[in-house]
Amino acid sequence: MPLHPIAEDDMEVDIYSDTAATVKPGYDGRSPRAGESVSSSDRSSSPAPTLQSMTGSMYDGLFDEKHGRKVNSTCATYSMAADEPEVMRMDEEHTLYKFLFKQLFGDELFVGPPDIVDEILAFSPAEQKRIMDLGTGTAAWAIDMANRYPEAEVVGIDLAPLQPDADALPVNCRLEMDDLNLSLEHYYDSTHLIHIRLLASGIRDYPGFIDQCTGCLKPGGILYFCETDFRPYAAPDPKSIYQTLRSRRSMDRTAGGGQAGGGGDGGQAGDTKKKTKKEYISPLVLMLQAIVSALHQKMAHIDAAANLRGWIRDHKLLDELTYNELYLPLMQLFPKDAPDGAFSNEIARLVGKDFDLFVDSFLPCLLDFKSQTEVNRMKAAALEEIKRPKKQVFVRVVVMSARKKDVMT
């Protein structure tokens, strides 16, 4: 499985959309409120002064029906489904990341030396150690951490956690409702470890979100990030991004391309139209670019993965940065007898399987901008390409951590 060193390009990038793509080198790059808990009354209290128990009707009121899927009604930015099929997808995705992290980094729940986390979360009679899982979803990661660190308090926070059964949670784990695009000041200076995974599609201001998370940490606490930039890559290299055809054609015109035989004298003798081989345009790349375009129009800060290292590095209260890039393949094209070939093909199989469910989860968002017929056609073509691949497509995942300084310097 390819890893990539720290990227040199920390420029903030913007994503534009189009309808087709080709390989081209180059990187283009409420005020504070109390959390509303869904936990039972015997669980430990929130840093916020007010808790609200959720009844079934109150929980159901948090969702709307949209294009045949249940979606969260409290935040316009977050556009993925929030129903039983999404619960199953998120649990499978959690299993995938546990497998990846265990194989690549030695620990299935986070990247980095586990002794640092053990040290941060070591029992102390002087204070309760706390873990926050932001965008907890089904609370799978929060539950795993609560079982590993039974003396720590684990708080999973989401717009509407998809694991509403408090009795299924470990006694040291609870779920709270909050919009992470709003202020988190009611959690300030309360937490020792914060986990953030795949939230960029629902965050409007990611640098501000980082600042809010830092405020929630106690000195010496640690932030863990895992984000994808949703961009398709041709190779495990940030410069191998698939460009849109609009960008490619613009670059061709800039390079001086023109029609054959042009000129006031009627052109050179013997001018003929050159036959060009029709470029293969990946349906999978088109599908990813459609998702990127839709999220961009929803004002999600989906460029977070591309800029995360720079934002963290420049934050005056964070240091001890660790950074890794993973390029996850979607096509099973690795030679089986090559080093790690079987492993890479298995990752491609798992990521491809998740992609099918991932597209379905984004249908409520995609159908705001495209017809059902068009989306169905694009999805069918993308899944067919995964079954019968012609060229490799990777997605990039950025995994990093940083600690809050003990003293302000």
Side-chain angles (χ1 to χ4, degrees):
M1 176 58 53
L3 296 180
H4 195 277
I6 293 176
E8 294 299 325
D9 188 351
D10 287 323
M11 294 176 59
E12 184 160 350
V13 295
D14 189 52
I15 291 178
Y16 49 82
S17 64
D18 209 325
T19 57
T22 182
V23 183
K24 183 71 179 179
Y27 185 67
D28 67 337
R30 39 181 155 95
S31 56
R33 69 178 184 183
E36 296 172 313
S37 175
V38 296
S39 61
S40 54
S41 59
D42 61 337
R43 301 191 187 280
S44 51
S45 63
S46 168
T50 304
L51 298 179
Q52 181 175 352
S53 298
M54 296 294 295
T55 65
S57 60
M58 291 171 64
Y59 186 80
D60 291 341
L62 299 172
F63 303 96
D64 288 330
E65 193 80 14
K66 187 176 181 181
H67 302 303
R69 298 293 297 268
K70 187 165 72 172
V71 297
N72 197 289
S73 63
T74 60
C75 177
T77 303
Y78 186 76
S79 304
M80 297 182 73
D83 49 20
E84 188 60 32
E86 179 65 358
V87 168
M88 296 174 62
R89 187 198 71 82
M90 294 179 75
D91 281 341
E92 289 189 10
E93 185 176 75
H94 177 63
T95 301
L96 169 62
Y97 275 98
K98 286 174 68 174
F99 173 70
L100 274 174
F101 286 3
K102 181 68 174 178
Q103 294 294 318
L104 298 175
F105 304 111
D107 194 288
E108 63 184 18
L109 295 181
F110 44 75
V111 175
D115 57 326
I116 294 179
V117 176
D118 291 343
E119 174 190 335
I120 292 172
L121 297 178
F123 173 76
S124 170
E127 63 175 346
Q128 173 65 61
K129 298 300 177 72
R130 179 176 288 114
I131 301 166
M132 287 174 62
D133 183 25
L134 301 184
T136 192
T138 64
W141 187 89
I143 290 170
D144 283 347
M145 286 294 284
N147 288 327
R148 180 181 293 192
Y149 297 98
E151 294 181 325
E153 177 184 281
V154 182
V155 183
I157 301 173
D158 210 313
L159 286 167
L162 298 178
Q163 168 56 279
D165 184 3
D167 294 333
L169 300 174
V171 68
N172 61 322
C173 180
R174 71 171 190 279
L175 307 182
E176 294 189 0
M177 289 171 47
D178 224 328
D179 185 344
L180 301 177
N181 285 300
L182 306 178
S183 174
L184 295 175
E185 290 183 15
H186 45 287
Y187 296 107
Y188 270 18
D189 195 35
S190 68
T191 304
H192 299 82
L193 185 150
I194 295 178
H195 175 256
I196 298 150
R197 187 168 74 194
L198 306 181
L199 286 190
S201 62
I203 299 296
R204 291 190 294 268
D205 175 15
Y206 213 101
F209 174 62
I210 292 172
D211 199 52
Q212 292 275 309
C213 292
T214 304
C216 295
L217 284 178
K218 287 182 172 290
I222 192 166
L223 284 171
Y224 275 105
F225 294 91
C226 177
E227 292 287 6
T228 179
D229 61 5
F230 294 92
R231 298 163 180 256
Y233 294 85
D237 185 324
K239 294 183 179 180
S240 71
I241 187 171
Y242 283 88
Q243 298 277 13
T244 62
L245 276 187
R246 181 173 62 186
S247 173
R248 171 67 176 270
R249 290 166 179 163
S250 176
M251 293 172 69
D252 288 345
R253 287 194 297 270
T254 302
Q259 294 184 0
D265 59 359
Q268 299 289 328
D271 279 347
T272 58
K273 292 184 179 180
K274 295 181 179 179
K275 291 183 179 180
T276 57
K277 184 179 179 180
K278 186 176 181 181
E279 284 187 290
Y280 174 73
I281 299 174
S282 164
L284 180 59
V285 169
L286 295 181
M287 189 78 254
L288 284 169
Q289 290 182 337
I291 292 172
V292 165
S293 175
L295 288 173
H296 196 54
Q297 293 178 76
K298 290 284 187 177
M299 304 303 291
H301 210 146
I302 54 176
D303 296 316
N307 298 293
L308 194 54
R309 185 176 74 97
W311 292 334
I312 297 294
R313 182 197 59 198
D314 295 340
H315 199 288
K316 64 182 180 180
L317 292 180
L318 297 173
D319 61 5
E320 297 186 37
L321 180 153
T322 68
Y323 183 91
N324 290 277
E325 288 183 356
L326 311 179
Y327 287 84
L328 307 184
L330 283 92
M331 309 298 190
Q332 299 179 55
L333 290 173
F334 297 92
K336 295 180 180 179
D337 57 350
D340 295 327
F343 172 71
S344 295
N345 281 329
E346 175 62 10
I347 295 302
R349 185 188 69 81
L350 294 172
V351 175
K353 178 183 177 183
D354 181 66
F355 182 80
D356 185 1
L357 302 175
F358 174 80
V359 172
D360 282 345
S361 182
F362 268 107
L363 286 179
C365 178
L366 286 168
L367 291 173
D368 281 345
F369 306 102
K370 293 183 179 294
S371 69
Q372 182 77 62
T373 300
E374 185 178 10
V375 171
N376 289 345
R377 176 184 56 77
M378 293 178 69
K379 179 189 173 186
L383 295 180
E384 179 63 22
E385 184 182 24
I386 291 176
K387 293 178 182 177
R388 296 174 177 83
K390 294 185 178 181
K391 60 171 60 176
Q392 187 59 268
V393 178
F394 294 87
V395 290
R396 180 173 67 158
V397 177
V398 169
V399 184
M400 66 179 304
S401 67
R403 295 187 71 175
K404 187 173 182 178
K405 298 177 181 179
D406 285 316
V407 294
M408 189 170 180
T409 58

